C-alpha cells in the first residue's frame, strides 16, 4: 500500500477490498505491506517476492522507482503498479482517467451549489492530482461558466505528507467553507476525512456538501458524516486490482499500460445516499458526451 496504508477509507482500502474478494472467489493467499518512508519501498517489495508471491502490486505512483528496480531484478515475477507506467515485460501499469470522473462530480458540485462558489483540495500538487483538479473545474464550468472555484493543495512535491494529514485537510476545508464554498471536493487520500469533518462544523446537511474520492466514501464514513457526502468520484482501483488478479490466476496476466476510463467503467460517480438522484440525468448526459468524444476533458488545470 501507499503511505496511508489500510484504513484510509479511500485509495488503499479499494485495493484491499479487491484482495479480499479475490481470496473469496479464487482461493488466493496474500501478503500486505505498507512503507514507513520512502527508503524502504524496495525492501518491502522484495520482501513480498521473497515470501513467494507470484504477483506483487505497488499501489501508487510513488512506487515507480522501487518497483522498476525490483521488477527488473525479478523477471519471473509479475508486478502491477497503479497510477504510473513502468515499461517492463513483467509489469502491468494500471492508470485511470481521473479527469473524466472528476468532471462528473464537478458538474454535480455546480448543479448543487447555492452560493456559486465551490472548493477543491488536492493532497499534493503533482501531475496526477492536477488531473482531478482540471476535470473538476471543467465539469463545474460546463454547468456554470461563472462559478468560482477555491483551490488549495496541502503539500508540494517531494513532500507527499498531504495525503495523510486530516487535521490540515480540515483546516483548509473550514477556510473554504468560510469563504463561501458550499461544496468541496477533496482528492487528498486520508486528508479528505478531515475535510468531511469540516463540513459538519460549517452547516447543516444540504446547506454544505463534501465530495469523496476513489472509493464510495459514503459507505465508509460515520453516520454523522454520511448526510454531507454528496457523491464520490469512483476511481475503481478495486476493479483494476481484482481484474489483474483474475487474469493472473487464469494464466492471462498481460504486461503494459491499461487505461481505466469512463468507456470501460473505470471511473464514475457514486449515487449512494440519493443526494444526486435529481441531477443524475444531467450527469449521465455529460458521461455519454465524454464517452462519445463530444467533450474532451482537460488533464491540466
Amino acid at each position: 500500500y501507499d503511505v496511508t496504508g489500510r484504513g484510509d477509507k479511500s485509495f488503499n482500502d479499494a485495493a484491499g477490498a479487491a484482495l479480499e474478494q479475490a481470496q473469496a472467489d479464487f482461493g488466493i493467499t496474500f501478503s500486505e505491506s505498507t512503507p514507513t518512508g520512502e527508503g524502504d519501498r524496495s525492501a518491502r517489495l522484495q520482501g513480498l517476492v521473497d515470501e513467494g508471491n507470484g504477483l506483487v502490486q505497488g499501489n501508487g505512483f510513488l512506487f515507480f522507482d522501487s518497483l522498476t528496480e525490483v521488477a527488473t531484478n525479478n523477471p519471473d515475477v509479475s508486478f502491477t503498479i497503479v497510477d504510473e507506467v513502468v515499461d517492463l515485460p513483467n509489469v502491468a501499469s494500471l492508470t485511470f482517467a481521473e479527469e473524466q470522473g472528476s468532471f462528473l462530480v464537478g458538474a454535480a458540485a455546480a448543479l448543487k451549489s447555492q452560493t456559486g462558489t465551490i472548493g477543491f483540495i488536492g493532497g499534493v500538487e503533482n501531475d496526477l492530482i492536477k488531473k482531478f483538479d482540471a476535470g473538476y473545474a471543467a465539469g463545474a464550468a460546463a454547468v456554470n461558466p461563472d462559478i468560482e472555484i477555491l483551490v488549495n493543495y496541502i503539500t508540494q512535491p517531494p513532500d507527499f505528507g498531504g495525503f495523510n494529514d486530516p487535521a490540515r485537510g480540515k483546516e483548509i476545508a473550514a477556510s473554504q467553507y468560510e469563504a463561501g464554498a458550499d461544496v468541496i471536493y477533496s482528492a487528498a487520500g486520508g486528508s479528505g476525512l478531515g475535510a468531511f469533518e469540516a463540513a459538519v462544523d460549517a452547516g447543516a446537511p444540504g446547506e454544505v456538501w463534501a465530495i469523496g474520492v476513489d472509493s464510495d466514501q459514503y459507505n465508509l464514513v460515520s453516520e454523522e458524516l454520511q448526510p454531507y457526502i454528496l457523491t464520490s468520484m469512483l476511481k475503481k482501483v478495486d476493479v483494476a486490482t481484482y481484474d489483474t488478479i483474475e487474469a493472473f490466476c487464469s494464466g492471462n496476466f498481460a504486461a503494459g499500460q491499461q487505461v481505466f476510463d469512463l468507456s470501460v467503467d473505470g471511473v464514475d460517480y457514486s449515487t449512494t445516499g440519493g443526494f444526486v438522484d435529481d441531477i443524475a440525468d444531467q450527469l449521465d448526459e455529460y458521461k455519454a458526451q465524454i464517452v462519445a468524444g463530444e467533450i474532451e476533458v482537460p488533464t491540466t488545470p
Side-chain angles (χ1 to χ4, degrees), residues 20-45:
E20 292 168 3
Q21 187 63 50
Q23 184 180 51
D25 292 348
F26 311 128
I28 66 164
T29 58
F30 62 86
S31 307
E32 300 172 292
S33 185
T34 300
T36 55
E38 294 310 303
D40 67 346
R41 290 179 185 270
S42 293
R44 288 181 179 273
L45 289 170

Side-chain angles (χ1 to χ4, degrees), residues 5-293:
R6 287 291 290 268
D8 65 349
K9 303 186 187 303
S10 183
F11 181 75
N12 290 315
D13 280 356
L19 282 173
E20 292 168 3
Q21 187 63 50
Q23 184 180 51
D25 292 348
F26 311 128
I28 66 164
T29 58
F30 62 86
S31 307
E32 300 172 292
S33 185
T34 300
T36 55
E38 294 310 303
D40 67 346
R41 290 179 185 270
S42 293
R44 288 181 179 273
L45 289 170
Q46 186 61 52
L48 294 176
V49 172
D50 293 343
E51 289 177 24
N53 294 290
L55 174 65
V56 176
Q57 177 159 307
N59 203 51
F61 64 89
L62 288 171
F63 282 99
F64 177 78
D65 291 337
S66 55
L67 192 136
T68 300
E69 172 193 343
V70 176
T72 299
N73 293 337
N74 297 274
D76 296 330
V77 176
S78 298
F79 291 84
T80 307
I81 189 168
V82 177
D83 288 343
E84 258 291 5
V85 177
V86 173
D87 187 15
L88 289 172
N90 58 333
V91 180
S93 300
L94 312 181
T95 61
F96 296 81
E98 293 94 352
E99 72 282 358
Q100 293 182 357
S102 296
F103 184 103
L104 299 178
V105 300
L111 287 165
K112 288 288 188 175
S113 177
Q114 299 298 309
T115 65
T117 300
I118 61 176
F120 174 83
I121 300 174
V124 179
E125 191 171 5
N126 64 354
D127 289 344
L128 174 65
I129 305 304
K130 287 179 182 178
K131 291 170 68 179
F132 294 80
D133 182 354
Y136 181 67
V143 170
N144 177 8
D146 297 322
I147 199 159
E148 181 179 2
I149 306 174
L150 309 178
V151 177
N152 294 100
Y153 287 88
I154 298 176
T155 61
Q156 300 289 321
D159 179 0
F160 293 98
F163 292 124
N164 193 25
D165 192 345
R168 183 63 178 141
K170 183 175 183 178
E171 181 182 342
I172 292 173
S175 69
Q176 290 188 354
Y177 286 125
E178 288 170 7
D182 57 354
V183 188
I184 296 176
Y185 175 37
S186 301
S191 300
L193 299 176
F196 298 163
E197 293 172 358
V200 177
D201 296 337
E207 293 180 350
V208 295
W209 296 103
I211 295 177
V213 73
D214 295 338
S215 299
D216 186 350
Q217 294 196 286
Y218 179 95
N219 289 325
L220 299 173
V221 299
S222 67
E223 290 185 4
E224 180 189 22
L225 296 177
Q226 284 180 335
Y228 292 89
I229 309 300
L230 175 64
T231 181
S232 294
M233 195 287 278
L234 303 177
K235 175 177 172 176
K236 299 188 178 180
V237 175
D238 52 346
V239 173
T241 301
Y242 180 91
D243 287 354
T244 304
I245 296 170
E246 182 177 29
F248 175 79
C249 291
S250 62
N252 295 313
F253 176 85
Q257 183 178 9
Q258 301 170 35
V259 180
F260 293 83
D261 60 12
L262 278 176
S263 70
V264 296
D265 199 30
V267 294
D268 208 341
Y269 70 95
S270 67
T271 60
T272 314
F275 304 130
V276 294
D277 288 355
D278 58 327
I279 59 172
D281 287 348
Q282 293 159 278
L283 299 180
D284 289 344
E285 177 60 28
Y286 282 126
K287 185 192 300 187
Q289 290 177 307
I290 293 169
V291 172

